[in-house]
Amino acid sequence: MIYSRFLFVVLSSLVMYAAHASAYRLPENISLERQSVALILSPEQSEFSGHTRLYLAVAQSSDTVAYHARDLDIKSVELTHNGKTMALPIMQPNEFDIVTHRLAQPIVGQAKLSIHYSGKITHKTMGLFVAGQQSGSPYIFSQFQEMEARTVFPGFDAPDKKTRFEFSVNIPKQYDAKHNTPVISSEIKGQRKLIRFAPSHKIYSDVLALAVGEFHSVALKGTALNSFVHAPKSIALNLPEDMNELVSSTVQFMEDYLQYPFPYSKLDFFVAPIDGLAAMENVGLIALNSHQIPAQDADGFAMCRFRKLIAHEVAHMWFGNDITMSWYNDYWMNESFAEFFAAKVVQARYPKSAGCTFNPQSASFADDTHSARALRSGVKYRGDNEAIGQLAYHKGRSVLEMAELALGNEVFKTQMRAYVKGVAGGNTSAPAFTQYFAKTPWFAAFINSFITQSNYPLLTLSKQNGQVYIQQTSFDSSQEKLWTIPLSVKIWDGKVLKTQQVVLDKPRMAINNVPATAQLFLDSNGVGYFRYLDNLDNGGFVVEQLTRAERASYVDNQEALARAAKIDFMSYVDSLIHLINTLPRGAVEVSNALSTLQDTFVTLIPESLSDEYAHYLTSQLPKIDNWQSVLANQNGDLWLELYGVNLRANSAILAAQKAYKNASLSELTHRTAVLRVMVANADEQAYQTLLSQFSQSERQVKEDLLDTLGYGNTISQIKAFYDLLLSDASYGHDLDYRFQYPAFTPKHRAYAGEYIRSHKDAISKRIADDKLQWFPYNFITACSAKEAALVKNTFADWQDVQGLDAKLNIVLEVINECDNNAKRNLQSVKKRLASMR
C-alpha cells in the first residue's frame, strides 16, 4: 500500500511535470504542412488586418488544436475537418503565447484552420514596424527573430515547425512590397494594389521577411543568383565596390567547403537604418542596417567587419535557415556556425585585411561570468536567448575552432560535410552534431563542457622537479568547474619549434617530453576559449614564432591577467608604453596599446588618481607637437582620444579644435575622435553649439554625434545628452548602448544612474522589450562596492523587465570582481606614482 501510494505520487508528479514542461511548446503530434497569410496594411496606418489558413496534419487523434499568437485581435477562428467547417470560440493565449482550442470531437488526419484577425504596427524593431516618417517616405519592415512572427499572424512560430508559406499583401497602390520570394502577380484595384508572392521553401517563421514602401534597387552584377539590394528611396545605397564579389565568393566558398549547393533560389538584401539590428538572415531577403555599410574611405578593419557581417548572413542560409535548431536552446548553433564560416570566408578571400576575424573569444570573456547563461540553456520566453548576447556568436565559434585545430582541418571538414549531408533541410541539436564526431572520444565531453557551463578556464603552466604541469581552474575562482580542453601546445627549445597535442580533462596533468627550460605557448592559432598564465619562469615565448592571430591573443591575454591582478598592473602598463615608444605609430600593436591605456581611465583609475596617473603617462609617452603627421595614420583617432580626452594635452586639444574649424562635419577626418576631444573639453556654450549640430546634420554625422556628446564634462551637459536620446529627434537611431557613454567617466556614474532610474517609462517607450534587460550593462565599467550599490538602486524599480535580474547579477558580479582586483592593481599604481613624486 505504501509502495502503491508512493508510485501514484511519482506518476502524478511526472504527469504534472510533463504538462508544465509542454506548456511552452506546441503539441508534437500536429505538424503544419503549409500556411497562407494575406495582409491588408499601409505605412500610414498603425494597424493592419489579416487572414491566414493553416493546413494541418494531425498524426494522432487529438481533441485540441493550438497555435501561437501575441498582441493580435482575433476576430474569428474556423476549423475544417472531413469536409465540415465549425466555428471555434475565441481563446486567449497562455503566458507562452499559445492559444489552445478544445474540440468537441477528436480529429486526426488533414485539417485546416482559418483565422481572421488584426494587429498593430509598432515603432520598435519587433514584428511589423514602421520607419522613415521623418523623411516623408515611410516604410514597413519586419523583424521576426525570434518569437515575433506571432505578432503578425497566428501560426506555428517555432523552429521545429518549418513549413512552406504563401504571402500576399493588399497595400496602397503607390507602394511596392518585397518578400522572401519573387512576386508572381501584382494587380491594381482602385487605390489599392494586391501583390502575391511565390510559395517559400520549407523554412521556419523567424526568417520570414516583408517590406512595404517606395524602394529603389541596385543589381549585384555577376552574382550567381542575380542578387539585388533594395532600400527605401530616402536611403542612399553607397555599397562597397566589391559587394558583388563578396556575395559570390561567400556562396562559392560555402558550396565548395560543404559540397552542398546554395539551398534557395533567391539572395537579395534590404538596406535601411534598422534600430538595434546589424543584419538579419531572412531567407532570400537579408536585412542589413545601413549604418553597417563602411564609408568610401573606410580603413581595412572597418571593411573587414563589413565583409564578415555579409559572409555571416549568407552562411546562415545553410546554418540556421536550411539546417535549423530543433529548439531555441541550440540558438548558439545558428550563430556560431555562421560566425565560424564567415571568418573562414574573410581569411580565405581577404587574407591581408582579416584582422577583425582574430580572437573571437575576447569579445565574450567579459560577459561570461558564473552568473551568465550557458550557451545551451532552457528557453521558454523571447528574452531568454537575447540574454545570451554575443556569447552565442563568439564563444560557440571559438569552440568550433578549437575542435578544428585539435582534429586537423581535413578531418574536421570531412565530418562537417557528413553532418550537413545528414541533417540538410531539417532540424538539428548539439547532441545530433556531436554524433558525427563519435570516433573522437573526447569530442562530446569537450563540446558539452563549454556549451553547458558558463565562465571559462584559466590554464596555468608550472614546473616541479623539472617536470612541466598544466592545471585548470575557473578564471573567476569563486566557483570551480571542470572542462575538457583539447590543446595544441607550441614548444620552443631555443632551436626547434614543435607542437604537441594534449587533452586536459582533469584539474592537473603533466605534459611529458618537454624540456624543463623550454618556452610554451598554449593558444595556438589564437582560438582558445581560455586564459593562460605562464609560471615556468623560462621567459616569454619568442614573438617571431607566433602568427598574427597568436600575437593578438597574447596581448589580449596579458591585458586580462593585468585587469584580474594576476600579474603586476603597472609592469603591464609599462610594457604597453614600451610598445608605443618603440614600434611605428601606425602599428596594430600600438593601436591596441593606446586603446588599453584609454580603458584604464574607465575601468580602474578613480577620479582622485586620474590627474596624477595622466601626468605619469604623459611623462612616459611620446611628446607630440606635429599632430598632422600623427593624424595621417589610420589609428590617428586613438592617439588623439588618449591625448585629448584622457591626458588633456593642450597640443591634442588645439589639434582637434583646428580640425573642427577647418572642415565641415561631413568632411572631417577622424570625426568621432575630434568631436570627443571637443566635447570632453567644452564649456557650456561650446557644448550647446555642438549639440545644436545634431538637428542640422546628415545621417552619418548624427550617428557620430550620438557617439560623442555623451563625453560631456558637466552634469548639465550629460542631462542634455540624455534628453537628446529620448527626444523625437533621435528616432531611427540605436539608443540603448549609448546610455553608457556618461558612465564611462567615474564622476558621472551617480548622475547617470539617477537619470536612468527616474526615466524608466520614457526609456521603455523607445527601447525594444527584450533589449531593456541589457540596461544594467551601461554600468559594467564600474569598479567599486559603492558603484555596485548605485547600480542596484538604479534598477530597483525595473524588476518587471523580463531577464533584467539575470543581467543585473552579471553586472554586479563583474563590478565586485573588479573591485576585488582593483585593490591590488591600485596598490601597484599608487606605488609607481609615489616613486615619481
Side-chain angles (χ1 to χ4, degrees):
M1 183 65 115
I2 295 176
Y3 175 81
S4 299
R5 183 177 299 169
F6 173 76
L7 180 61
F8 174 79
V9 170
V10 170
L11 289 175
S12 299
S13 299
L14 289 174
V15 170
M16 291 175 64
Y17 172 79
H20 177 73
S22 63
Y24 65 95
R25 300 284 295 269
L26 291 173
E28 293 183 4
N29 66 320
I30 302 180
S31 59
L32 181 59
E33 294 189 330
R34 62 188 176 93
Q35 181 171 6
S36 66
V37 179
L39 301 174
I40 302 174
L41 69 170
S42 170
E44 285 83 16
Q45 296 175 349
S46 60
E47 292 190 359
F48 65 92
S49 61
H51 176 220
T52 186
R53 294 186 179 92
L54 294 82
Y55 296 86
L56 310 177
V58 185
Q60 298 174 345
S61 180
S62 176
D63 61 0
T64 63
V65 291
Y67 50 85
H68 289 108
R70 183 171 75 243
D71 298 333
L72 295 177
D73 183 6
I74 306 294
K75 309 293 185 182
S76 67
V77 182
E78 291 182 336
L79 174 68
T80 301
H81 179 248
N82 288 340
K84 296 181 180 179
T85 298
M86 65 192 79
L88 299 181
I90 306 301
M91 303 297 294
Q92 295 302 310
N94 67 8
E95 64 174 307
F96 305 109
D97 306 329
I98 295 177
V99 177
T100 301
H101 296 277
R102 295 211 167 271
L103 307 177
Q105 297 292 330
I107 61 173
V108 68
Q110 304 299 309
K112 180 179 70 175
L113 278 174
S114 180
I115 305 173
H116 286 85
Y117 63 96
S118 64
K120 295 186 181 300
I121 300 172
T122 73
H123 290 279
K124 297 180 180 179
T125 311
M126 303 167 69
L128 284 181
F129 61 95
V130 66
Q133 301 98 318
Q134 292 178 323
S135 68
S137 181
Y139 59 91
I140 292 171
F141 195 50
S142 62
Q143 173 58 20
F144 290 165
Q145 189 187 70
E146 58 195 54
M147 304 186 191
E148 286 299 313
R150 63 192 64 175
T151 67
V152 179
F153 57 91
F156 285 20
D157 189 18
D160 59 337
K161 301 292 186 180
K162 297 168 75 169
T163 195
R164 300 181 187 278
F165 293 93
E166 300 173 14
F167 264 67
S168 65
V169 292
N170 184 319
I171 58 178
K173 68 177 184 179
Q174 69 269 29
Y175 292 123
D176 194 7
K178 305 296 178 185
H179 181 51
N180 307 79
T181 62
V183 172
I184 56 175
S185 69
S186 180
E187 181 181 1
I188 295 177
K189 293 185 177 181
Q191 298 302 308
R192 308 287 295 182
K193 181 189 295 182
L194 178 63
I195 300 177
R196 298 183 186 277
F197 297 95
S200 74
H201 291 76
K202 192 174 181 180
I203 59 178
Y204 77 122
S205 49
D206 275 22
V207 293
L208 287 167
L210 179 66
V212 174
E214 296 180 273
F215 306 125
H216 64 119
S217 305
V218 171
L220 296 181
K221 297 179 180 179
T223 50
L225 293 142
N226 298 314
S227 298
F228 281 84
V229 179
H230 310 289
K233 69 175 187 179
S234 59
I235 306 299
L237 277 175
N238 298 314
L239 300 171
E241 292 182 358
D242 68 342
M243 179 76 172
N244 54 345
E245 178 188 344
L246 172 60
V247 173
S248 295
S249 295
T250 303
V251 172
Q252 188 66 54
F253 181 93
M254 296 296 295
E255 290 183 332
D256 291 347
Y257 186 101
L258 300 175
Q259 292 187 345
Y260 184 67
F262 187 80
Y264 307 106
S265 57
K266 182 171 176 277
L267 182 59
D268 289 350
F269 296 80
F270 181 82
V271 174
I274 308 168
D275 288 0
L277 189 73
M280 175 62 202
E281 63 270 19
N282 307 313
V283 169
L285 191 65
I286 291 173
L288 176 63
N289 193 325
S290 55
H291 305 158
Q292 299 294 323
I293 299 175
Q296 297 297 323
D297 59 347
D299 60 27
F301 199 80
M303 287 302 303
C304 178
R305 285 194 306 243
F306 177 75
R307 288 165 176 157
K308 184 164 73 69
L309 175 63
I310 297 300
H312 175 101
E313 302 307 325
V314 174
H316 264 309
M317 300 303 119
W318 285 267
F319 296 103
N321 295 359
D322 185 62
I323 300 170
T324 308
M325 58 194 169
S326 293
W327 187 246
Y328 294 108
N329 61 334
D330 277 316
Y331 172 73
W332 73 275
M333 296 184 73
N334 286 19
E335 300 302 345
S336 296
F337 280 67
E339 191 71 0
F340 173 82
F341 279 101
K344 280 190 169 298
V345 169
V346 174
Q347 290 165 6
R349 303 305 190 201
Y350 306 95
K352 294 183 179 179
S353 55
C356 73
T357 66
F358 299 155
N359 311 119
Q361 66 275 38
S362 64
S364 292
F365 285 141
D367 294 341
D368 201 3
T369 68
H370 286 300
S371 298
R373 287 175 66 87
L375 278 187
R376 196 167 199 259
S377 302
V379 176
K380 296 181 179 180
Y381 302 99
R382 184 187 195 278
D384 289 342
N385 265 342
E386 177 65 31
I388 297 175
Q390 291 299 305
L391 295 177
Y393 296 75
H394 303 299
K395 182 174 184 177
R397 176 194 152 189
S398 297
V399 170
L400 293 175
E401 291 186 338
M402 289 170 68
E404 181 185 45
L405 178 64
L407 293 171
N409 292 346
E410 290 306 312
V411 171
F412 186 81
K413 181 190 292 186
T414 298
Q415 297 310 114
M416 282 295 298
R417 287 173 174 175
Y419 165 69
V420 167
K421 182 179 179 180
V423 298
N427 291 95
T428 190
S429 65
F433 173 63
T434 58
Q435 285 179 4
Y436 286 85
F437 295 82
K439 291 182 179 179
T440 302
W442 50 261
F443 191 86
F446 154 64
I447 294 289
N448 289 330
S449 69
F450 279 93
I451 69 174
T452 63
Q453 296 186 119
S454 58
N455 208 231
Y456 48 94
L458 171 65
L459 306 184
T460 303
L461 291 168
S462 61
K463 187 166 48 179
Q464 183 177 347
N465 299 325
Q467 173 67 59
V468 174
Y469 291 90
I470 184 170
Q471 70 180 51
Q472 62 165 302
T473 57
S474 296
F475 187 81
D476 174 2
S477 57
S478 62
Q479 295 182 30
E480 284 309 326
K481 297 175 180 177
L482 186 67
W483 289 264
T484 296
I485 313 166
L487 295 167
S488 298
V489 183
K490 285 192 169 184
I491 304 166
W492 174 253
D493 64 2
K495 297 179 180 179
V496 179
L497 179 68
K498 296 181 180 180
T499 300
Q500 184 171 327
Q501 303 291 331
V502 299
V503 176
L504 178 62
D505 58 1
K506 52 180 69 70
R508 185 171 185 259
M509 65 179 283
I511 304 181
N512 297 317
N513 303 316
V514 177
T517 57
Q519 299 167 347
L520 274 64
F521 183 77
L522 293 181
D523 196 11
S524 296
N525 284 22
V527 302
Y529 199 77
F530 50 75
R531 296 298 192 185
Y532 54 95
L533 181 61
D534 187 346
N535 286 337
L536 294 174
D537 294 326
N538 290 344
F541 200 89
V542 179
V543 173
E544 289 75 17
Q545 297 294 337
L546 299 179
T547 65
R548 288 172 61 200
E550 289 168 346
R551 293 180 192 181
S553 106
Y554 173 78
V555 171
D556 185 69
N557 186 72
Q558 293 302 105
E559 179 184 353
L561 296 178
R563 287 176 183 268
K566 298 182 187 299
I567 58 177
D568 181 70
F569 186 81
M570 284 307 293
S571 295
Y572 171 67
V573 168
D574 288 343
S575 72
L576 297 176
I577 293 171
H578 178 72
L579 284 175
I580 294 171
N581 282 323
T582 56
L583 293 178
R585 285 179 175 172
V588 172
E589 293 84 355
V590 170
S591 299
N592 293 334
L594 293 168
S595 295
T596 301
L597 289 180
Q598 287 184 56
D599 289 344
T600 62
F601 285 90
V602 176
T603 59
L604 177 66
I605 306 300
E607 185 181 1
S608 59
L609 284 179
S610 181
D611 288 345
E612 194 173 358
Y613 178 69
H615 179 72
Y616 172 77
L617 293 184
T618 301
S619 70
Q620 303 297 310
L621 290 168
K623 182 180 179 181
I624 300 176
D625 295 318
N626 182 8
W627 274 97
Q628 186 174 354
S629 64
V630 174
L631 293 175
N633 294 306
Q634 284 191 346
N635 66 351
D637 55 340
L638 296 175
W639 285 95
L640 188 64
E641 276 194 47
L642 175 63
Y643 278 63
V645 175
N646 304 114
L647 305 184
R648 307 282 173 150
N650 286 332
S651 64
I653 297 171
L654 290 172
Q657 291 172 343
K658 180 180 179 180
Y660 177 80
K661 180 180 179 181
N662 292 341
S664 66
L665 283 181
S666 60
E667 301 295 327
L668 186 58
T669 304
H670 297 310
R671 182 168 56 226
T672 299
V674 169
L675 288 173
R676 283 179 177 169
V677 174
M678 295 285 292
V679 168
N681 295 281
D683 58 24
E684 298 304 321
Q685 182 178 352
Y687 185 87
Q688 288 299 321
T689 299
L690 290 164
L691 187 69
S692 68
Q693 297 279 346
F694 185 82
S695 62
Q696 308 166 19
S697 298
E698 61 187 51
R699 175 89 197 183
Q700 190 52 55
V701 174
K702 287 184 176 181
E703 289 289 318
D704 290 343
L705 284 166
L706 290 177
D707 284 337
T708 56
L709 289 168
Y711 282 69
N713 59 78
T714 68
I715 295 301
S716 62
Q717 292 172 6
I718 301 307
K719 180 181 184 304
F721 170 67
Y722 279 154
D723 288 347
L724 171 63
L725 291 186
L726 294 179
S727 71
D728 291 345
S730 66
Y731 267 110
H733 298 272
D734 293 347
L735 304 181
D736 45 359
Y737 71 90
R738 284 169 164 138
F739 279 82
Q740 70 185 316
Y741 293 136
F744 283 169
T745 305
K747 70 177 182 179
H748 290 152
R749 283 178 186 144
Y751 178 76
E754 174 56 28
Y755 189 99
I756 290 172
R757 186 198 65 76
S758 61
H759 288 76
K760 180 199 171 188
D761 291 343
I763 291 169
S764 299
K765 291 177 181 177
R766 297 294 300 276
I767 307 298
D769 295 345
D770 61 322
K771 298 293 192 298
L772 285 173
Q773 64 178 299
W774 288 95
F775 247 70
Y777 267 67
N778 288 306
F779 295 91
I780 203 164
T781 55
C783 193
S784 70
K786 181 179 179 181
E787 290 172 327
L790 161 70
V791 175
K792 289 179 69 174
N793 181 63
T794 297
F795 297 101
D797 295 330
W798 287 52
Q799 302 309 307
D800 59 322
V801 176
Q802 185 183 333
L804 184 129
D805 278 346
K807 290 296 174 299
L808 182 59
N809 288 337
I810 293 172
V811 171
L812 293 174
E813 187 177 335
V814 171
I815 295 174
N816 290 328
E817 184 74 12
C818 182
D819 182 38
N820 293 332
N821 297 334
K823 291 179 175 64
R824 285 168 285 175
N825 284 338
L826 286 176
Q827 286 179 356
S828 176
V829 173
K830 291 175 181 177
K831 182 178 179 181
R832 180 61 57 81
L833 295 181
S835 70
M836 301 297 292
R837 293 179 186 136

